[in-house]
Coordinates of all heavy atoms in Angstrom, one line a residue:
E18 N 0.9 -1.2 0.0 CA 0.0 0.0 0.0 C 0.9 1.2 0.0 O 1.9 1.3 0.8 CB -0.9 0.0 1.3 CG -1.7 -1.2 1.5 CD -2.2 -1.3 2.9 OE1 -1.3 -1.2 3.8 OE2 -3.4 -1.5 3.2
V19 N 0.5 2.2 -0.8 CA 1.3 3.5 -0.9 C 0.3 4.7 -1.0 O -0.8 4.5 -1.4 CB 2.3 3.5 -2.0 CG1 3.4 2.5 -1.9 CG2 1.6 3.4 -3.4
D20 N 0.8 5.8 -0.6 CA 0.0 7.0 -0.7 C -0.2 7.4 -2.1 O 0.6 7.4 -3.0 CB 0.7 8.2 0.0 CG 0.7 8.1 1.5 OD1 0.0 7.2 2.1 OD2 1.5 8.8 2.2
D21 N -1.4 7.9 -2.4 CA -1.8 8.5 -3.7 C -1.3 9.9 -3.7 O -1.7 10.7 -2.8 CB -3.3 8.4 -3.9 CG -3.7 8.9 -5.3 OD1 -3.0 9.7 -5.9 OD2 -4.8 8.5 -5.8
P22 N -0.4 10.3 -4.6 CA 0.1 11.7 -4.6 C -0.9 12.8 -4.7 O -0.7 13.9 -4.4 CB 1.1 11.7 -5.7 CG 1.5 10.3 -5.9 CD 0.3 9.5 -5.6
R23 N -2.1 12.4 -5.3 CA -3.2 13.4 -5.5 C -3.8 13.7 -4.1 O -4.5 14.8 -4.0 CB -4.2 12.8 -6.4 CG -3.7 12.7 -7.8 CD -4.7 11.9 -8.7 NE -4.9 10.5 -8.2 CZ -5.7 9.6 -8.8 NH1 -6.4 10.0 -9.9 NH2 -5.8 8.4 -8.3
V24 N -3.6 12.9 -3.1 CA -4.3 13.1 -1.8 C -3.3 13.5 -0.8 O -3.6 14.3 0.1 CB -5.0 11.8 -1.4 CG1 -5.7 11.9 0.0 CG2 -6.1 11.4 -2.5
W25 N -2.1 12.9 -0.8 CA -1.1 13.1 0.3 C 0.1 13.9 -0.3 O 0.7 13.4 -1.2 CB -0.6 11.8 0.9 CG -1.8 11.0 1.4 CD1 -2.4 9.9 0.8 CD2 -2.5 11.2 2.6 NE1 -3.4 9.4 1.5 CE2 -3.5 10.2 2.7 CE3 -2.4 12.1 3.7 CZ2 -4.4 10.1 3.7 CZ3 -3.2 12.0 4.7 CH2 -4.2 11.0 4.8
A26 N 0.4 15.0 0.3 CA 1.5 15.8 -0.2 C 2.8 15.3 0.4 O 2.9 14.6 1.3 CB 1.3 17.3 0.3
A27 N 3.9 15.7 -0.3 CA 5.2 15.3 0.2 C 5.5 15.9 1.6 O 5.1 17.0 1.9 CB 6.3 15.8 -0.8
D28 N 6.2 15.1 2.4 CA 6.4 15.5 3.8 C 7.8 15.2 4.1 O 8.4 14.2 3.7 CB 5.4 14.8 4.7 CG 5.6 15.1 6.2 OD1 6.5 14.5 6.8 OD2 4.9 16.1 6.7
A29 N 8.5 16.1 4.8 CA 9.9 15.9 5.2 C 10.2 14.7 6.0 O 11.2 14.1 5.9 CB 10.4 17.2 5.9
T30 N 9.2 14.3 6.8 CA 9.4 13.1 7.6 C 8.8 11.8 7.0 O 9.5 10.8 6.9 CB 8.7 13.3 9.0 OG1 9.2 14.4 9.6 CG2 8.8 12.1 9.9
Q31 N 7.6 11.9 6.4 CA 6.9 10.8 5.9 C 7.2 10.5 4.4 O 6.8 9.5 3.9 CB 5.4 10.9 6.1 CG 5.1 10.9 7.6 CD 3.6 11.1 7.9 OE1 2.8 11.5 7.0 NE2 3.2 10.8 9.1
G32 N 8.0 11.4 3.8 CA 8.4 11.1 2.5 C 7.6 11.7 1.4 O 6.6 12.4 1.6
D33 N 8.0 11.5 0.1 CA 7.4 12.0 -1.1 C 6.7 10.9 -1.8 O 7.3 9.9 -2.2 CB 8.5 12.6 -2.0 CG 7.9 13.2 -3.3 OD1 6.8 13.0 -3.6 OD2 8.7 13.8 -4.0
P34 N 5.3 10.9 -1.9 CA 4.6 9.8 -2.5 C 5.0 9.5 -3.9 O 5.0 8.4 -4.4 CB 3.1 10.3 -2.5 CG 3.1 11.3 -1.3 CD 4.4 11.9 -1.3
V35 N 5.4 10.6 -4.7 CA 5.9 10.3 -6.1 C 7.2 9.6 -6.1 O 7.4 8.6 -6.8 CB 6.0 11.6 -6.9 CG1 6.6 11.4 -8.3 CG2 4.6 12.3 -7.0
A36 N 8.1 10.0 -5.2 CA 9.4 9.3 -5.1 C 9.2 7.9 -4.7 O 9.9 7.0 -5.1 CB 10.3 10.1 -4.2
R37 N 8.3 7.7 -3.8 CA 8.0 6.3 -3.3 C 7.5 5.4 -4.4 O 8.0 4.3 -4.6 CB 6.9 6.4 -2.2 CG 6.6 5.1 -1.5 CD 5.6 5.3 -0.4 NE 6.2 6.1 0.6 CZ 5.7 7.3 1.1 NH1 4.6 7.8 0.5 NH2 6.3 8.0 2.0
L38 N 6.6 6.0 -5.3 CA 6.1 5.2 -6.4 C 7.3 4.9 -7.4 O 7.4 3.7 -7.9 CB 5.0 5.9 -7.1 CG 3.7 5.9 -6.5 CD1 2.8 7.0 -7.0 CD2 3.0 4.5 -6.7
R39 N 8.2 5.8 -7.6 CA 9.3 5.6 -8.5 C 10.2 4.5 -7.9 O 10.8 3.6 -8.6 CB 10.1 6.9 -8.7 CG 9.4 7.9 -9.5 CD 10.2 9.2 -9.6 NE 9.5 10.2 -10.3 CZ 9.7 11.5 -10.2 NH1 10.5 12.0 -9.2 NH2 9.0 12.4 -10.9
F40 N 10.4 4.5 -6.6 CA 11.2 3.5 -5.9 C 10.7 2.1 -6.2 O 11.4 1.2 -6.6 CB 11.3 3.8 -4.4 CG 11.8 2.7 -3.6 CD1 13.2 2.5 -3.5 CD2 11.0 1.8 -2.9 CE1 13.8 1.5 -2.7 CE2 11.5 0.7 -2.2 CZ 12.9 0.6 -2.1
Y41 N 9.4 1.9 -6.0 CA 8.8 0.6 -6.2 C 8.8 0.3 -7.7 O 8.9 -0.9 -8.0 CB 7.4 0.6 -5.6 CG 7.5 0.4 -4.1 CD1 7.1 1.5 -3.3 CD2 7.9 -0.7 -3.5 CE1 7.2 1.4 -1.9 CE2 8.0 -0.8 -2.1 CZ 7.7 0.2 -1.3 OH 7.8 0.1 0.0
G42 N 8.6 1.3 -8.5 CA 8.7 1.0 -10.0 C 10.0 0.5 -10.4 O 10.1 -0.4 -11.2
R43 N 11.1 1.0 -9.8 CA 12.4 0.5 -10.1 C 12.6 -1.0 -9.7 O 13.5 -1.6 -10.2 CB 13.5 1.4 -9.4 CG 13.6 2.8 -10.0 CD 14.9 3.4 -9.6 NE 15.0 3.6 -8.1 CZ 14.5 4.7 -7.5 NH1 13.9 5.6 -8.1 NH2 14.7 4.8 -6.2
H44 N 11.8 -1.4 -8.8 CA 11.9 -2.8 -8.3 C 10.7 -3.6 -8.8 O 10.4 -4.7 -8.2 CB 11.9 -2.8 -6.8 CG 13.1 -2.2 -6.2 ND1 14.3 -2.9 -6.2 CD2 13.4 -0.9 -5.8 CE1 15.3 -2.1 -5.7 NE2 14.8 -0.9 -5.4

């Protein structure tokens, strides 16, 4: 499960939803 970037903004602590999706995409 990951955050939808349309709903959850990037956060310095909880991370960037778009970067998170890219991370999983690379894997």
Side-chain angles (χ1 to χ4, degrees):
E18 305 160 308
V19 294
D20 288 348
D21 186 332
R23 295 170 294 182
V24 178
W25 304 101
D28 179 273
T30 301
Q31 296 177 345
D33 181 349
V35 175
R37 183 174 298 120
L38 283 161
R39 289 174 181 154
F40 169 80
Y41 285 107
R43 289 195 298 273
H44 293 282

